[in-house]
Amino acid sequence: MRLYNLDGLRGFSAMLVVFGHLFNQLGVLGGIFGDGGAQVGVQIFFALSGFLMGFLYLRFHIRKLAAIDFLRRRTARVFPMYVAVVLASYLSLSYAGHPIFYAVNSSNLVEHLLFVKGVSVLWTVPVEVHFYLIFIFIWLVFSVNRAIGIISLAAMIPVLLFIPDPLAIRPSQLSFFLIGIMASLVPPFRSNTAFALAVCAIFVAMPAVSKTLGITVFEFWRSPLNVAATGTLLYTSINAPLAKLTFGSLPARYIGQISFSVYLLHWPIMAAITTHTDVDDNGPLYVFTVVVLTLLISSLTYFSIEAPARRWITGRNGWVRNDLASATAVADL
């Protein structure tokens, strides 16, 4: 069983980030995407990762080969394209004298390669990798006692929203990953109404929108509204017929397939076009050009870098067989 709707949800998340950055730069729809609204797409990404981890692995006890397979698949999903972008950024800055991609230099190259932290939109990838390591501990707890695991997850989500941020770490970000895991543990149901309301809630959760509505009690990454909206959208997207028509459509699923490249490459493409275009006078053309080039170049990098590297790293004969045979279809979501 492949959860096609979640492919499209991943594509939707990627395009929220892309259009959020585009419209913020143009000063268009600031009442929706303003104040960092593009990061709502990142919150959905984190929740999707949590769902995938829970769906694939928490129904089984952790074993050495299972853990190795988990790490191999996560490595295959994230490392090749991310490392390629980091190295391209470093080389372009070192030899061209300016960051064609991102400002990766000799002072922060190791931090990027060790997934300590990242500049610009690269910041999310180290955070995602940290979640993978945390998941192994969660998997261990579920293997010992599933009930304790579920209760612990449910208790931690609200707690993380109120823990002070130590140094550069934001515990509140983990709550989105955990809400995704929780969504994977609940039997899905079919409801177009719930799905439509969840989509509306995602836009209400945009910082500029929530402030306009007077919902200003919580900071963006600490907002229970954002956690609830993200988890509800993920949960209702699985089986709702309306989600199948939208997120389950071929275009949405394809964008979801190349979404990691879309996320990593849209920013440098925006920057490159901005240097050669009067953005203020050519807004619609600028948006169209960025979107088309992002999709085209992301398709190229997906099929030339991501997909081959993923096949090479995972191989044809992984640990996932028998009981997990139906789950392997979503392993690359």
Side-chain angles (χ1 to χ4, degrees), residues 274-311:
T274 300
T275 60
H276 299 90
T277 306
D278 189 345
V279 174
D280 293 333
D281 294 335
N282 300 279
L285 179 60
Y286 171 69
V287 171
F288 176 80
T289 304
V290 168
V291 171
V292 170
L293 283 180
T294 297
L295 294 177
L296 288 175
I297 296 174
S298 296
S299 297
L300 177 63
T301 56
Y302 175 81
F303 289 108
S304 63
I305 298 175
E306 284 193 72
R310 192 177 304 171
R311 288 194 296 268

PDB file of all heavy atoms in Angstrom, residues 274-311:
ATOM      1  N   THR A 274      16.989  37.076  -9.352  1.00  0.00           N
ATOM      2  CA  THR A 274      16.853  38.419  -8.790  1.00  0.00           C
ATOM      3  C   THR A 274      17.986  39.330  -9.233  1.00  0.00           C
ATOM      4  O   THR A 274      17.787  40.527  -9.474  1.00  0.00           O
ATOM      5  CB  THR A 274      16.811  38.354  -7.249  1.00  0.00           C
ATOM      6  OG1 THR A 274      15.688  37.564  -6.851  1.00  0.00           O
ATOM      7  CG2 THR A 274      16.691  39.742  -6.651  1.00  0.00           C
ATOM      8  N   THR A 275      19.186  38.766  -9.355  1.00  0.00           N
ATOM      9  CA  THR A 275      20.342  39.580  -9.749  1.00  0.00           C
ATOM     10  C   THR A 275      20.268  40.033 -11.203  1.00  0.00           C
ATOM     11  O   THR A 275      20.972  40.959 -11.595  1.00  0.00           O
ATOM     12  CB  THR A 275      21.650  38.798  -9.535  1.00  0.00           C
ATOM     13  OG1 THR A 275      21.627  37.604 -10.333  1.00  0.00           O
ATOM     14  CG2 THR A 275      21.833  38.427  -8.078  1.00  0.00           C
ATOM     15  N   HIS A 276      19.412  39.388 -12.001  1.00  0.00           N
ATOM     16  CA  HIS A 276      19.329  39.739 -13.423  1.00  0.00           C
ATOM     17  C   HIS A 276      17.948  40.257 -13.827  1.00  0.00           C
ATOM     18  O   HIS A 276      17.675  40.424 -15.014  1.00  0.00           O
ATOM     19  CB  HIS A 276      19.670  38.522 -14.292  1.00  0.00           C
ATOM     20  CG  HIS A 276      21.062  37.989 -14.084  1.00  0.00           C
ATOM     21  ND1 HIS A 276      21.347  37.019 -13.151  1.00  0.00           N
ATOM     22  CD2 HIS A 276      22.246  38.324 -14.669  1.00  0.00           C
ATOM     23  CE1 HIS A 276      22.647  36.756 -13.179  1.00  0.00           C
ATOM     24  NE2 HIS A 276      23.216  37.536 -14.089  1.00  0.00           N
ATOM     25  N   THR A 277      17.086  40.484 -12.845  1.00  0.00           N
ATOM     26  CA  THR A 277      15.710  40.887 -13.156  1.00  0.00           C
ATOM     27  C   THR A 277      15.267  42.004 -12.230  1.00  0.00           C
ATOM     28  O   THR A 277      15.584  41.996 -11.042  1.00  0.00           O
ATOM     29  CB  THR A 277      14.745  39.682 -12.995  1.00  0.00           C
ATOM     30  OG1 THR A 277      15.213  38.602 -13.785  1.00  0.00           O
ATOM     31  CG2 THR A 277      13.340  40.065 -13.424  1.00  0.00           C
ATOM     32  N   ASP A 278      14.527  42.926 -12.777  1.00  0.00           N
ATOM     33  CA  ASP A 278      13.897  43.946 -11.947  1.00  0.00           C
ATOM     34  C   ASP A 278      12.618  43.335 -11.395  1.00  0.00           C
ATOM     35  O   ASP A 278      11.555  43.373 -12.019  1.00  0.00           O
ATOM     36  CB  ASP A 278      13.589  45.192 -12.785  1.00  0.00           C
ATOM     37  CG  ASP A 278      13.125  46.356 -11.911  1.00  0.00           C
ATOM     38  OD1 ASP A 278      12.772  46.096 -10.738  1.00  0.00           O
ATOM     39  OD2 ASP A 278      13.123  47.492 -12.395  1.00  0.00           O
ATOM     40  N   VAL A 279      12.733  42.741 -10.222  1.00  0.00           N
ATOM     41  CA  VAL A 279      11.640  41.960  -9.656  1.00  0.00           C
ATOM     42  C   VAL A 279      10.377  42.790  -9.478  1.00  0.00           C
ATOM     43  O   VAL A 279       9.263  42.345  -9.760  1.00  0.00           O
ATOM     44  CB  VAL A 279      12.069  41.349  -8.303  1.00  0.00           C
ATOM     45  CG1 VAL A 279      10.896  40.654  -7.632  1.00  0.00           C
ATOM     46  CG2 VAL A 279      13.212  40.377  -8.522  1.00  0.00           C
ATOM     47  N   ASP A 280      10.520  44.025  -9.021  1.00  0.00           N
ATOM     48  CA  ASP A 280       9.354  44.860  -8.735  1.00  0.00           C
ATOM     49  C   ASP A 280       8.514  45.135  -9.982  1.00  0.00           C
ATOM     50  O   ASP A 280       7.290  45.266  -9.908  1.00  0.00           O
ATOM     51  CB  ASP A 280       9.787  46.193  -8.118  1.00  0.00           C
ATOM     52  CG  ASP A 280      10.399  46.003  -6.733  1.00  0.00           C
ATOM     53  OD1 ASP A 280      10.026  45.012  -6.069  1.00  0.00           O
ATOM     54  OD2 ASP A 280      11.235  46.824  -6.332  1.00  0.00           O
ATOM     55  N   ASP A 281       9.174  45.233 -11.143  1.00  0.00           N
ATOM     56  CA  ASP A 281       8.450  45.534 -12.379  1.00  0.00           C
ATOM     57  C   ASP A 281       7.995  44.295 -13.124  1.00  0.00           C
ATOM     58  O   ASP A 281       7.228  44.383 -14.080  1.00  0.00           O
ATOM     59  CB  ASP A 281       9.336  46.372 -13.312  1.00  0.00           C
ATOM     60  CG  ASP A 281       9.624  47.751 -12.730  1.00  0.00           C
ATOM     61  OD1 ASP A 281       8.797  48.211 -11.915  1.00  0.00           O
ATOM     62  OD2 ASP A 281      10.660  48.339 -13.087  1.00  0.00           O
ATOM     63  N   ASN A 282       8.473  43.126 -12.722  1.00  0.00           N
ATOM     64  CA  ASN A 282       8.154  41.895 -13.448  1.00  0.00           C
ATOM     65  C   ASN A 282       7.747  40.781 -12.480  1.00  0.00           C
ATOM     66  O   ASN A 282       8.194  39.645 -12.598  1.00  0.00           O
ATOM     67  CB  ASN A 282       9.373  41.434 -14.265  1.00  0.00           C
ATOM     68  CG  ASN A 282       9.812  42.457 -15.287  1.00  0.00           C
ATOM     69  OD1 ASN A 282       9.234  42.552 -16.366  1.00  0.00           O
ATOM     70  ND2 ASN A 282      10.836  43.233 -14.946  1.00  0.00           N
ATOM     71  N   GLY A 283       6.892  41.124 -11.506  1.00  0.00           N
ATOM     72  CA  GLY A 283       6.500  40.174 -10.489  1.00  0.00           C
ATOM     73  C   GLY A 283       5.940  38.863 -11.016  1.00  0.00           C
ATOM     74  O   GLY A 283       6.461  37.783 -10.701  1.00  0.00           O
ATOM     75  N   PRO A 284       4.872  38.890 -11.831  1.00  0.00           N
ATOM     76  CA  PRO A 284       4.291  37.632 -12.331  1.00  0.00           C
ATOM     77  C   PRO A 284       5.287  36.811 -13.139  1.00  0.00           C
ATOM     78  O   PRO A 284       5.351  35.585 -12.996  1.00  0.00           O
ATOM     79  CB  PRO A 284       3.125  38.107 -13.202  1.00  0.00           C
ATOM     80  CG  PRO A 284       2.761  39.444 -12.638  1.00  0.00           C
ATOM     81  CD  PRO A 284       4.060  40.065 -12.218  1.00  0.00           C
ATOM     82  N   LEU A 285       6.068  37.490 -14.014  1.00  0.00           N
ATOM     83  CA  LEU A 285       7.063  36.773 -14.806  1.00  0.00           C
ATOM     84  C   LEU A 285       8.140  36.168 -13.910  1.00  0.00           C
ATOM     85  O   LEU A 285       8.602  35.044 -14.138  1.00  0.00           O
ATOM     86  CB  LEU A 285       7.704  37.722 -15.824  1.00  0.00           C
ATOM     87  CG  LEU A 285       8.800  37.114 -16.715  1.00  0.00           C
ATOM     88  CD1 LEU A 285       8.239  35.959 -17.537  1.00  0.00           C
ATOM     89  CD2 LEU A 285       9.415  38.182 -17.613  1.00  0.00           C
ATOM     90  N   TYR A 286       8.510  36.900 -12.870  1.00  0.00           N
ATOM     91  CA  TYR A 286       9.514  36.411 -11.923  1.00  0.00           C
ATOM     92  C   TYR A 286       9.024  35.148 -11.219  1.00  0.00           C
ATOM     93  O   TYR A 286       9.737  34.143 -11.138  1.00  0.00           O
ATOM     94  CB  TYR A 286       9.820  37.509 -10.909  1.00  0.00           C
ATOM     95  CG  TYR A 286      10.683  37.085  -9.755  1.00  0.00           C
ATOM     96  CD1 TYR A 286      12.022  36.767  -9.937  1.00  0.00           C
ATOM     97  CD2 TYR A 286      10.142  37.000  -8.464  1.00  0.00           C
ATOM     98  CE1 TYR A 286      12.817  36.379  -8.864  1.00  0.00           C
ATOM     99  CE2 TYR A 286      10.934  36.629  -7.392  1.00  0.00           C
ATOM    100  CZ  TYR A 286      12.265  36.308  -7.597  1.00  0.00           C
ATOM    101  OH  TYR A 286      13.039  35.920  -6.535  1.00  0.00           O
ATOM    102  N   VAL A 287       7.795  35.177 -10.728  1.00  0.00           N
ATOM    103  CA  VAL A 287       7.232  34.009 -10.048  1.00  0.00           C
ATOM    104  C   VAL A 287       7.168  32.820 -10.995  1.00  0.00           C
ATOM    105  O   VAL A 287       7.572  31.697 -10.649  1.00  0.00           O
ATOM    106  CB  VAL A 287       5.824  34.329  -9.498  1.00  0.00           C
ATOM    107  CG1 VAL A 287       5.144  33.060  -8.989  1.00  0.00           C
ATOM    108  CG2 VAL A 287       5.912  35.363  -8.384  1.00  0.00           C
ATOM    109  N   PHE A 288       6.658  33.050 -12.205  1.00  0.00           N
ATOM    110  CA  PHE A 288       6.538  31.979 -13.196  1.00  0.00           C
ATOM    111  C   PHE A 288       7.904  31.382 -13.509  1.00  0.00           C
ATOM    112  O   PHE A 288       8.060  30.153 -13.549  1.00  0.00           O
ATOM    113  CB  PHE A 288       5.896  32.526 -14.473  1.00  0.00           C
ATOM    114  CG  PHE A 288       5.813  31.522 -15.591  1.00  0.00           C
ATOM    115  CD1 PHE A 288       4.813  30.568 -15.602  1.00  0.00           C
ATOM    116  CD2 PHE A 288       6.752  31.532 -16.622  1.00  0.00           C
ATOM    117  CE1 PHE A 288       4.747  29.632 -16.643  1.00  0.00           C
ATOM    118  CE2 PHE A 288       6.696  30.615 -17.653  1.00  0.00           C
ATOM    119  CZ  PHE A 288       5.674  29.656 -17.669  1.00  0.00           C
ATOM    120  N   THR A 289       8.897  32.244 -13.725  1.00  0.00           N
ATOM    121  CA  THR A 289      10.236  31.764 -14.080  1.00  0.00           C
ATOM    122  C   THR A 289      10.862  30.959 -12.955  1.00  0.00           C
ATOM    123  O   THR A 289      11.448  29.887 -13.180  1.00  0.00           O
ATOM    124  CB  THR A 289      11.154  32.954 -14.433  1.00  0.00           C
ATOM    125  OG1 THR A 289      10.552  33.719 -15.475  1.00  0.00           O
ATOM    126  CG2 THR A 289      12.514  32.462 -14.899  1.00  0.00           C
ATOM    127  N   VAL A 290      10.741  31.447 -11.725  1.00  0.00           N
ATOM    128  CA  VAL A 290      11.319  30.735 -10.582  1.00  0.00           C
ATOM    129  C   VAL A 290      10.671  29.367 -10.422  1.00  0.00           C
ATOM    130  O   VAL A 290      11.364  28.348 -10.236  1.00  0.00           O
ATOM    131  CB  VAL A 290      11.155  31.555  -9.289  1.00  0.00           C
ATOM    132  CG1 VAL A 290      11.496  30.693  -8.065  1.00  0.00           C
ATOM    133  CG2 VAL A 290      12.044  32.782  -9.318  1.00  0.00           C
ATOM    134  N   VAL A 291       9.351  29.319 -10.510  1.00  0.00           N
ATOM    135  CA  VAL A 291       8.640  28.050 -10.312  1.00  0.00           C
ATOM    136  C   VAL A 291       9.009  27.053 -11.409  1.00  0.00           C
ATOM    137  O   VAL A 291       9.319  25.887 -11.118  1.00  0.00           O
ATOM    138  CB  VAL A 291       7.116  28.281 -10.273  1.00  0.00           C
ATOM    139  CG1 VAL A 291       6.366  26.943 -10.296  1.00  0.00           C
ATOM    140  CG2 VAL A 291       6.732  29.063  -9.025  1.00  0.00           C
ATOM    141  N   VAL A 292       8.984  27.491 -12.655  1.00  0.00           N
ATOM    142  CA  VAL A 292       9.287  26.583 -13.762  1.00  0.00           C
ATOM    143  C   VAL A 292      10.729  26.079 -13.684  1.00  0.00           C
ATOM    144  O   VAL A 292      10.993  24.874 -13.819  1.00  0.00           O
ATOM    145  CB  VAL A 292       9.027  27.273 -15.120  1.00  0.00           C
ATOM    146  CG1 VAL A 292       9.566  26.420 -16.266  1.00  0.00           C
ATOM    147  CG2 VAL A 292       7.538  27.516 -15.303  1.00  0.00           C
ATOM    148  N   LEU A 293      11.672  27.004 -13.471  1.00  0.00           N
ATOM    149  CA  LEU A 293      13.075  26.585 -13.378  1.00  0.00           C
ATOM    150  C   LEU A 293      13.311  25.675 -12.177  1.00  0.00           C
ATOM    151  O   LEU A 293      14.078  24.701 -12.271  1.00  0.00           O
ATOM    152  CB  LEU A 293      13.987  27.810 -13.290  1.00  0.00           C
ATOM    153  CG  LEU A 293      14.251  28.559 -14.589  1.00  0.00           C
ATOM    154  CD1 LEU A 293      15.178  29.743 -14.338  1.00  0.00           C
ATOM    155  CD2 LEU A 293      14.872  27.632 -15.640  1.00  0.00           C
ATOM    156  N   THR A 294      12.652  25.963 -11.070  1.00  0.00           N
ATOM    157  CA  THR A 294      12.809  25.122  -9.886  1.00  0.00           C
ATOM    158  C   THR A 294      12.330  23.706 -10.161  1.00  0.00           C
ATOM    159  O   THR A 294      12.998  22.726  -9.810  1.00  0.00           O
ATOM    160  CB  THR A 294      12.037  25.714  -8.690  1.00  0.00           C
ATOM    161  OG1 THR A 294      12.600  26.987  -8.357  1.00  0.00           O
ATOM    162  CG2 THR A 294      12.127  24.799  -7.483  1.00  0.00           C
ATOM    163  N   LEU A 295      11.181  23.580 -10.809  1.00  0.00           N
ATOM    164  CA  LEU A 295      10.648  22.252 -11.105  1.00  0.00           C
ATOM    165  C   LEU A 295      11.512  21.512 -12.127  1.00  0.00           C
ATOM    166  O   LEU A 295      11.760  20.305 -11.986  1.00  0.00           O
ATOM    167  CB  LEU A 295       9.210  22.365 -11.608  1.00  0.00           C
ATOM    168  CG  LEU A 295       8.180  22.870 -10.582  1.00  0.00           C
ATOM    169  CD1 LEU A 295       6.807  23.004 -11.232  1.00  0.00           C
ATOM    170  CD2 LEU A 295       8.105  21.937  -9.388  1.00  0.00           C
ATOM    171  N   LEU A 296      11.995  22.236 -13.120  1.00  0.00           N
ATOM    172  CA  LEU A 296      12.826  21.598 -14.142  1.00  0.00           C
ATOM    173  C   LEU A 296      14.176  21.153 -13.570  1.00  0.00           C
ATOM    174  O   LEU A 296      14.604  20.006 -13.768  1.00  0.00           O
ATOM    175  CB  LEU A 296      13.046  22.556 -15.312  1.00  0.00           C
ATOM    176  CG  LEU A 296      11.831  22.815 -16.221  1.00  0.00           C
ATOM    177  CD1 LEU A 296      12.176  23.871 -17.266  1.00  0.00           C
ATOM    178  CD2 LEU A 296      11.387  21.523 -16.897  1.00  0.00           C
ATOM    179  N   ILE A 297      14.842  22.052 -12.867  1.00  0.00           N
ATOM    180  CA  ILE A 297      16.166  21.722 -12.326  1.00  0.00           C
ATOM    181  C   ILE A 297      16.039  20.670 -11.227  1.00  0.00           C
ATOM    182  O   ILE A 297      16.883  19.770 -11.114  1.00  0.00           O
ATOM    183  CB  ILE A 297      16.862  22.988 -11.806  1.00  0.00           C
ATOM    184  CG1 ILE A 297      17.132  23.948 -12.964  1.00  0.00           C
ATOM    185  CG2 ILE A 297      18.170  22.638 -11.094  1.00  0.00           C
ATOM    186  CD1 ILE A 297      17.682  25.295 -12.542  1.00  0.00           C
ATOM    187  N   SER A 298      14.970  20.735 -10.446  1.00  0.00           N
ATOM    188  CA  SER A 298      14.759  19.734  -9.401  1.00  0.00           C
ATOM    189  C   SER A 298      14.491  18.365 -10.006  1.00  0.00           C
ATOM    190  O   SER A 298      14.918  17.340  -9.456  1.00  0.00           O
ATOM    191  CB  SER A 298      13.590  20.145  -8.508  1.00  0.00           C
ATOM    192  OG  SER A 298      13.873  21.341  -7.816  1.00  0.00           O
ATOM    193  N   SER A 299      13.791  18.323 -11.116  1.00  0.00           N
ATOM    194  CA  SER A 299      13.578  17.051 -11.813  1.00  0.00           C
ATOM    195  C   SER A 299      14.910  16.474 -12.270  1.00  0.00           C
ATOM    196  O   SER A 299      15.171  15.271 -12.133  1.00  0.00           O
ATOM    197  CB  SER A 299      12.653  17.252 -13.015  1.00  0.00           C
ATOM    198  OG  SER A 299      11.371  17.682 -12.611  1.00  0.00           O
ATOM    199  N   LEU A 300      15.755  17.344 -12.814  1.00  0.00           N
ATOM    200  CA  LEU A 300      17.064  16.905 -13.286  1.00  0.00           C
ATOM    201  C   LEU A 300      17.901  16.358 -12.140  1.00  0.00           C
ATOM    202  O   LEU A 300      18.496  15.279 -12.246  1.00  0.00           O
ATOM    203  CB  LEU A 300      17.780  18.073 -13.957  1.00  0.00           C
ATOM    204  CG  LEU A 300      19.201  17.791 -14.456  1.00  0.00           C
ATOM    205  CD1 LEU A 300      19.186  16.714 -15.534  1.00  0.00           C
ATOM    206  CD2 LEU A 300      19.837  19.072 -15.000  1.00  0.00           C
ATOM    207  N   THR A 301      17.968  17.072 -11.037  1.00  0.00           N
ATOM    208  CA  THR A 301      18.791  16.613  -9.909  1.00  0.00           C
ATOM    209  C   THR A 301      18.194  15.374  -9.250  1.00  0.00           C
ATOM    210  O   THR A 301      18.921  14.514  -8.753  1.00  0.00           O
ATOM    211  CB  THR A 301      18.950  17.723  -8.853  1.00  0.00           C
ATOM    212  OG1 THR A 301      17.663  18.167  -8.425  1.00  0.00           O
ATOM    213  CG2 THR A 301      19.730  18.892  -9.417  1.00  0.00           C
ATOM    214  N   TYR A 302      16.861  15.273  -9.254  1.00  0.00           N
ATOM    215  CA  TYR A 302      16.246  14.083  -8.665  1.00  0.00           C
ATOM    216  C   TYR A 302      16.648  12.831  -9.437  1.00  0.00           C
ATOM    217  O   TYR A 302      17.064  11.827  -8.842  1.00  0.00           O
ATOM    218  CB  TYR A 302      14.723  14.210  -8.643  1.00  0.00           C
ATOM    219  CG  TYR A 302      14.049  12.953  -8.156  1.00  0.00           C
ATOM    220  CD1 TYR A 302      13.953  12.674  -6.794  1.00  0.00           C
ATOM    221  CD2 TYR A 302      13.540  12.019  -9.063  1.00  0.00           C
ATOM    222  CE1 TYR A 302      13.372  11.504  -6.340  1.00  0.00           C
ATOM    223  CE2 TYR A 302      12.958  10.849  -8.623  1.00  0.00           C
ATOM    224  CZ  TYR A 302      12.870  10.591  -7.258  1.00  0.00           C
ATOM    225  OH  TYR A 302      12.303   9.420  -6.825  1.00  0.00           O
ATOM    226  N   PHE A 303      16.515  12.878 -10.754  1.00  0.00           N
ATOM    227  CA  PHE A 303      16.790  11.685 -11.553  1.00  0.00           C
ATOM    228  C   PHE A 303      18.275  11.434 -11.772  1.00  0.00           C
ATOM    229  O   PHE A 303      18.679  10.305 -12.058  1.00  0.00           O
ATOM    230  CB  PHE A 303      16.066  11.781 -12.904  1.00  0.00           C
ATOM    231  CG  PHE A 303      14.578  11.628 -12.783  1.00  0.00           C
ATOM    232  CD1 PHE A 303      13.737  12.715 -12.961  1.00  0.00           C
ATOM    233  CD2 PHE A 303      14.014  10.398 -12.466  1.00  0.00           C
ATOM    234  CE1 PHE A 303      12.365  12.580 -12.840  1.00  0.00           C
ATOM    235  CE2 PHE A 303      12.635  10.250 -12.341  1.00  0.00           C
ATOM    236  CZ  PHE A 303      11.812  11.347 -12.525  1.00  0.00           C
ATOM    237  N   SER A 304      19.099  12.469 -11.627  1.00  0.00           N
ATOM    238  CA  SER A 304      20.539  12.277 -11.841  1.00  0.00           C
ATOM    239  C   SER A 304      21.318  12.081 -10.542  1.00  0.00           C
ATOM    240  O   SER A 304      22.400  11.479 -10.550  1.00  0.00           O
ATOM    241  CB  SER A 304      21.121  13.475 -12.596  1.00  0.00           C
ATOM    242  OG  SER A 304      20.998  14.669 -11.830  1.00  0.00           O
ATOM    243  N   ILE A 305      20.783  12.576  -9.428  1.00  0.00           N
ATOM    244  CA  ILE A 305      21.498  12.477  -8.145  1.00  0.00           C
ATOM    245  C   ILE A 305      20.694  11.708  -7.103  1.00  0.00           C
ATOM    246  O   ILE A 305      21.136  10.669  -6.605  1.00  0.00           O
ATOM    247  CB  ILE A 305      21.839  13.880  -7.595  1.00  0.00           C
ATOM    248  CG1 ILE A 305      22.768  14.627  -8.565  1.00  0.00           C
ATOM    249  CG2 ILE A 305      22.506  13.760  -6.218  1.00  0.00           C
ATOM    250  CD1 ILE A 305      23.060  16.063  -8.138  1.00  0.00           C
ATOM    251  N   GLU A 306      19.501  12.211  -6.777  1.00  0.00           N
ATOM    252  CA  GLU A 306      18.742  11.617  -5.680  1.00  0.00           C
ATOM    253  C   GLU A 306      18.367  10.158  -5.926  1.00  0.00           C
ATOM    254  O   GLU A 306      18.684   9.274  -5.116  1.00  0.00           O
ATOM    255  CB  GLU A 306      17.462  12.421  -5.438  1.00  0.00           C
ATOM    256  CG  GLU A 306      17.650  13.731  -4.708  1.00  0.00           C
ATOM    257  CD  GLU A 306      16.311  14.284  -4.251  1.00  0.00           C
ATOM    258  OE1 GLU A 306      15.748  13.694  -3.306  1.00  0.00           O
ATOM    259  OE2 GLU A 306      15.848  15.265  -4.847  1.00  0.00           O
ATOM    260  N   ALA A 307      17.672   9.892  -7.007  1.00  0.00           N
ATOM    261  CA  ALA A 307      17.169   8.538  -7.250  1.00  0.00           C
ATOM    262  C   ALA A 307      18.297   7.510  -7.410  1.00  0.00           C
ATOM    263  O   ALA A 307      18.261   6.453  -6.778  1.00  0.00           O
ATOM    264  CB  ALA A 307      16.248   8.533  -8.469  1.00  0.00           C
ATOM    265  N   PRO A 308      19.330   7.772  -8.241  1.00  0.00           N
ATOM    266  CA  PRO A 308      20.415   6.782  -8.357  1.00  0.00           C
ATOM    267  C   PRO A 308      21.145   6.547  -7.037  1.00  0.00           C
ATOM    268  O   PRO A 308      21.472   5.404  -6.696  1.00  0.00           O
ATOM    269  CB  PRO A 308      21.345   7.410  -9.407  1.00  0.00           C
ATOM    270  CG  PRO A 308      20.501   8.356 -10.169  1.00  0.00           C
ATOM    271  CD  PRO A 308      19.518   8.898  -9.185  1.00  0.00           C
ATOM    272  N   ALA A 309      21.419   7.623  -6.304  1.00  0.00           N
ATOM    273  CA  ALA A 309      22.112   7.474  -5.027  1.00  0.00           C
ATOM    274  C   ALA A 309      21.268   6.686  -4.039  1.00  0.00           C
ATOM    275  O   ALA A 309      21.779   5.854  -3.282  1.00  0.00           O
ATOM    276  CB  ALA A 309      22.459   8.846  -4.451  1.00  0.00           C
ATOM    277  N   ARG A 310      19.971   6.931  -4.047  1.00  0.00           N
ATOM    278  CA  ARG A 310      19.078   6.210  -3.139  1.00  0.00           C
ATOM    279  C   ARG A 310      19.073   4.725  -3.445  1.00  0.00           C
ATOM    280  O   ARG A 310      19.134   3.875  -2.541  1.00  0.00           O
ATOM    281  CB  ARG A 310      17.674   6.791  -3.243  1.00  0.00           C
ATOM    282  CG  ARG A 310      16.722   6.342  -2.151  1.00  0.00           C
ATOM    283  CD  ARG A 310      15.381   7.025  -2.302  1.00  0.00           C
ATOM    284  NE  ARG A 310      15.515   8.474  -2.309  1.00  0.00           N
ATOM    285  CZ  ARG A 310      14.524   9.304  -2.602  1.00  0.00           C
ATOM    286  NH1 ARG A 310      13.338   8.828  -2.927  1.00  0.00           N
ATOM    287  NH2 ARG A 310      14.721  10.610  -2.576  1.00  0.00           N
ATOM    288  N   ARG A 311      18.995   4.388  -4.743  1.00  0.00           N
ATOM    289  CA  ARG A 311      19.021   2.963  -5.120  1.00  0.00           C
ATOM    290  C   ARG A 311      20.339   2.327  -4.724  1.00  0.00           C
ATOM    291  O   ARG A 311      20.388   1.188  -4.264  1.00  0.00           O
ATOM    292  CB  ARG A 311      18.784   2.824  -6.623  1.00  0.00           C
ATOM    293  CG  ARG A 311      17.349   3.119  -7.053  1.00  0.00           C
ATOM    294  CD  ARG A 311      17.116   2.640  -8.482  1.00  0.00           C
ATOM    295  NE  ARG A 311      17.955   3.367  -9.426  1.00  0.00           N
ATOM    296  CZ  ARG A 311      17.576   4.475 -10.057  1.00  0.00           C
ATOM    297  NH1 ARG A 311      16.387   4.989  -9.827  1.00  0.00           N
ATOM    298  NH2 ARG A 311      18.387   5.073 -10.911  1.00  0.00           N
TER     299      ARG A 311
END
